[in-house]
Amino acid sequence: MKRRNFIKKASVSGLGLVAVSSTLISCEETKKDEKVVAAVNIKPIRPLVIATWNTPLAVETAAKVLEKGGSVLDAVEQGCRIEEANEEGMSVGKGGLPDRDGDVTLDACIMNEKGDYGAVLGVKNIKHVISVARKVMEDTPHVMLVAEGAEQFAVSKGFKRENLLTEKAKKAWEKWKITSEYKPIINIENHDTIGMLAIDKNGDISGACTTSGLAYKMAGRVGDSPIIGGGLFVDNEIGGASATGLGEEVLKTVGSFLIVELMRQGKTPQQACEEAIGRIVNKPGKDFKNFQVGYIAVNKQGETGAYSIHEHFSYNLFKEGENKNMPSDFFNKV
Ligand code: SD4
């Protein structure tokens, strides 16, 4: 590609100076074009926090960590812990709806700016699984621990066992048991699985994702949230993405990894999220009426995107000192 054309393309897609300059190394050099490069320099928006659903307190908590100069990894961990501790939220942490046997099992993962990753899957009795995932990343030679092994590891690191099934969640499960209709239940309008991405003032990116998974899932079922590239992916050179909704569909399209790779190819975060939803809904014969998937994404410049299959997906965004809940655009407009 001719250098000037590349610059134009980069400008439109919002890649800005950082990405442009690194690509220019292999391009032809001319003095004239140096001026064009300066003209497309987009001031990155930092710090920034974005998270799935209506999660103002979680986002505010993460933003405060960043504003006080804390690490971007601390920011996403602390932010996610807010939702894990919120007993009203019924698809994350304590208060999450149980599996079909009445057990609350949690999944979480975390990625730092170095591309390190840690996850726990199907953990019972431990509320702050996002912090356990971080410990897996930092204190073990592994990236994933599951079920009893993860629980034992958590206890060995000082986490306390507690009953995660609240009265409210127990009552909902007992009501469900009357019909026991076994199909993954995915409420289109109201989840609280939290996927969070943050950028600090230096431009470093981390992400975290934590959930109790689908209500009344089969025992042992794991969704996208703790799987690298599924519920979360971060590449510090490009940006990050996170997912919520029916994990099976996210996993089959490796959604978050796909979004980051599409951004690497020059798509904006919004375009990348839309294409990732397209990969799900455009499968031949796919009946997407009864399930929801929503994505959020951010690139290195602090541009954000969000897109879902159905209406009612929203996200919280902190940037330039403001923390707002925003409705996501969506595919199914009819
Ligand atoms: C899962 N993606 O386990 C999660 C569920 C979810 O809001 O996002 N619920 O498939």
Side-chain angles (χ1 to χ4, degrees):
M1 196 191 304
K2 277 257 188 316
R3 182 177 178 174
R4 189 177 290 278
N5 285 345
F6 172 79
I7 291 166
K8 267 195 204 140
K9 198 172 165 214
S11 169
V12 168
S13 66
L15 282 178
L17 186 58
V18 179
V20 172
S21 339
S22 59
T23 309
L24 286 180
I25 293 163
S26 61
C27 299
E28 242 179 278
E29 298 279 337
T30 71
K31 278 270 181 254
K32 218 167 144 196
D33 282 343
E34 295 303 329
K35 284 182 195 141
V36 181
V37 172
V40 297
N41 183 4
I42 299 162
K43 193 168 175 286
I45 300 166
R46 298 167 183 164
L48 180 147
V49 183
I50 184 168
T52 54
W53 302 108
N54 189 15
T55 46
L57 196 58
V59 167
E60 191 187 310
T61 302
K64 275 191 184 141
V65 172
L66 293 178
E67 282 178 336
K68 283 185 192 145
S71 82
V72 67
L73 189 65
D74 285 344
V76 293
E77 181 192 1
Q78 294 304 321
C80 283
R81 283 173 65 101
I82 295 291
E83 287 303 317
E84 289 177 338
N86 172 13
E87 296 185 18
E88 291 307 307
M90 297 191 90
S91 63
V92 61
K94 186 157 183 168
L97 289 167
D99 65 16
R100 61 197 305 187
D101 301 333
D103 290 317
V104 180
T105 63
L106 305 182
D107 304 326
C109 78
I110 198 156
M111 276 192 89
N112 68 13
E113 70 282 7
K114 291 183 272 180
D116 296 326
Y117 159 76
V120 289
L121 290 68
V123 184
K124 292 179 193 169
N125 305 317
I126 305 286
K127 180 167 62 191
H128 288 306
V129 278
I130 198 65
S131 300
V132 187
R134 180 171 176 174
K135 290 271 181 229
V136 172
M137 178 173 83
E138 292 180 340
D139 296 0
T140 81
H142 307 306
V143 294
M144 285 190 204
L145 292 178
V146 307
E148 285 84 7
E151 187 179 333
Q152 277 163 26
F153 170 72
V155 169
S156 79
K157 290 286 169 186
F159 291 80
K160 296 270 172 293
R161 285 192 171 95
E162 65 185 289
N163 177 18
L164 301 178
L165 187 65
T166 57
E167 270 312 304
K168 190 175 162 196
K170 194 171 169 210
K171 280 206 181 100
W173 169 64
E174 277 161 355
K175 196 168 161 209
W176 170 81
K177 273 205 298 183
I178 296 168
T179 53
S180 290
E181 198 190 341
Y182 187 63
K183 58 176 187 196
I185 294 179
I186 198 86
N187 181 333
I188 286 169
E189 300 185 9
N190 180 24
H191 307 253
D192 24 43
T193 289
I194 184 163
M196 180 179 278
L197 305 159
I199 311 185
D200 68 13
K201 62 178 182 348
N202 305 317
D204 283 328
I205 310 169
S206 289
C209 189
T210 180
T211 188
S212 55
L214 296 187
Y216 322 129
K217 59 194 176 185
M218 288 174 71
R221 179 266 184 193
V222 173
D224 60 311
S225 304
I227 307 296
I228 190 168
L232 180 73
F233 196 70
V234 171
D235 181 323
N236 208 43
E237 280 187 10
I238 305 297
S242 190
T244 180
L246 186 60
E248 282 75 0
E249 298 298 332
V250 174
L251 284 170
K252 284 187 267 184
T253 47
V254 201
S256 293
F257 183 70
L258 173 65
I259 290 169
V260 173
E261 290 308 301
L262 289 168
M263 293 195 292
R264 190 191 306 279
Q265 290 164 24
K267 298 238 189 265
T268 64
Q270 186 59 34
Q271 290 167 339
C273 288
E274 289 177 21
E275 186 161 339
I277 289 292
R279 294 283 174 100
I280 297 172
V281 297
N282 294 328
K283 282 182 178 167
K286 175 61 83 185
D287 180 5
F288 53 81
K289 299 275 178 310
N290 295 319
F291 69 84
Q292 174 70 303
V293 171
Y295 288 114
I296 55 168
V298 63
N299 67 14
K300 191 83 174 163
Q301 301 310 113
E303 288 182 293
T304 56
Y307 203 62
S308 56
I309 300 179
H310 302 284
E311 199 179 359
H312 301 303
F313 174 49
S314 72
Y315 60 98
N316 252 85
L317 176 62
F318 170 89
K319 66 174 187 184
E320 292 162 339
E322 274 196 287
N323 179 11
K324 283 193 197 147
N325 183 253
M326 323 270 277
S328 166
D329 193 9
F330 56 98
F331 174 80
N332 189 20
K333 300 243 163 64
V334 283

